[in-house]
Amino acid sequence: MEKIIEEIRRYMHEGWTLGALHGIKHWDRVYENGQKLLTPEVNARVVGLFAYLHDSCRNDNGADLLHGPRAARYIDTLRDTYLKGVTEEEMKLLKEACRLHTTTHRTGNPTIDACFDADRLDLWRVGIIPDPNRLATEKGKEIARRTDYQTIIKKL
């Protein structure tokens, strides 16, 4: 894992108060999913940072549809500290992925769409089986098709 992502992971985990549902285990799985979704067109740093920042501004574990836009704004506050090594283009992609991840199906941008799918492939944790038809990337669809989510959910 890249150092900047490790530092964000540690920082976000230290301040997290909402418990496990949207916490570190979820973020680690989103990171792992994101690694599986990488292609030459996908920015790995953005996908990694998204894993640990996309839920950072949740007010609760319910249907908080504005947590993505809040996370996008919060990212700006980290610009001169934790994210100082991130390029302007990466910042733009990261903020857009966070802003849209709860409301948008697909953008056509390979990096943002990989972020979306990395998160959605972990829906099984709340009893929702990821639907390949609702994923944004071909790799994400393939992972959803070949994963036995029923078995995973039964083990919860």
Side-chain angles (χ1 to χ4, degrees):
M1 183 181 294
E2 186 180 358
K3 184 178 179 185
I4 193 169
I5 298 169
E6 287 177 8
E7 290 173 355
I8 282 290
R9 180 188 186 275
R10 186 172 28 260
Y11 175 72
M12 296 313 302
H13 182 58
E14 287 171 2
W16 189 249
T17 60
L18 290 181
L21 186 62
H22 291 98
I24 194 72
K25 289 181 181 180
H26 166 58
W27 303 336
D28 284 343
R29 286 189 302 268
V30 172
Y31 178 83
E32 291 168 14
N33 289 338
Q35 296 306 294
K36 294 174 189 173
L37 296 167
L38 295 179
T39 65
E41 301 84 29
V42 173
N43 184 305
R45 176 183 283 171
V46 170
V47 174
L49 290 170
F50 172 85
Y52 297 102
L53 290 166
H54 74 284
D55 283 339
S56 62
C57 292
R58 281 188 155 277
N59 288 333
D60 56 49
N61 283 313
D64 180 3
L65 294 179
L66 296 178
H67 76 275
R70 284 194 302 272
R73 289 189 300 274
Y74 174 65
I75 287 166
D76 284 329
T77 71
L78 303 173
R79 182 69 176 122
D80 295 328
T81 55
Y82 290 95
L83 300 177
K84 64 183 168 192
V86 176
T87 69
E88 288 304 317
E89 179 63 18
E90 288 170 333
M91 285 291 287
K92 179 182 167 199
L93 291 169
L94 177 59
K95 289 167 53 175
E96 191 74 353
C98 287
R99 186 175 70 79
L100 297 175
H101 83 276
T102 59
T103 60
T104 303
H105 174 76
R106 179 183 314 125
T107 65
N109 179 288
T111 298
I112 295 172
D113 290 349
C115 291
F116 292 174
D117 283 3
D119 187 34
R120 292 173 186 157
L121 286 168
D122 197 46
L123 285 172
W124 60 264
R125 78 190 192 290
V126 293
I128 299 170
I129 296 173
D131 179 353
N133 296 321
R134 299 194 68 172
L135 295 171
T137 68
E138 289 306 312
K139 278 190 165 189
K141 292 174 185 183
E142 182 58 33
I143 291 168
R145 280 188 206 99
R146 69 172 195 252
T147 301
D148 182 2
Y149 289 107
Q150 293 295 346
T151 299
I152 294 170
I153 291 170
K154 285 179 187 176
K155 290 180 183 180
L156 290 180

